[in-house]
Amino acid sequence: MICLSNAGHPASLEPRKLYVAMDDAPAAKLGFIRVVDESGEDYLFPRTLFADIQVPAKVAAALAAVR
């Protein structure tokens, strides 16, 4: 996910930064998404603050290795 805005969450989110999203079907039904924020913990944020992106497999592997 890429953060489009940190409105209401300036200490937790950075616009234009990539975030790892976690599956959370109940939250999604309510318009939220669970992401790992700047603290390293996962929290719910409004889905409207993020956009889905597709990254090449090589990039995804490199990002996964950093965690």
Side-chain angles (χ1 to χ4, degrees):
M1 304 299 296
I2 188 164
C3 180
L4 301 174
S5 169
N6 65 353
H9 307 278
S12 301
L13 299 172
E14 228 178 281
R16 297 174 302 280
K17 182 175 179 176
L18 299 179
Y19 287 89
V20 174
M22 302 173 71
D23 288 331
D24 189 329
K29 288 180 182 178
L30 297 173
F32 289 89
I33 188 165
R34 185 172 297 279
V35 299
V36 179
D37 75 357
E38 296 303 308
S39 72
E41 298 294 325
D42 61 279
Y43 294 99
L44 292 176
F45 294 101
R47 178 69 172 87
T48 57
L49 299 180
F50 296 88
D52 295 314
I53 60 169
Q54 296 292 324
V55 295
K58 187 174 182 178
V59 173
L63 292 172
V66 173
R67 288 196 262 162

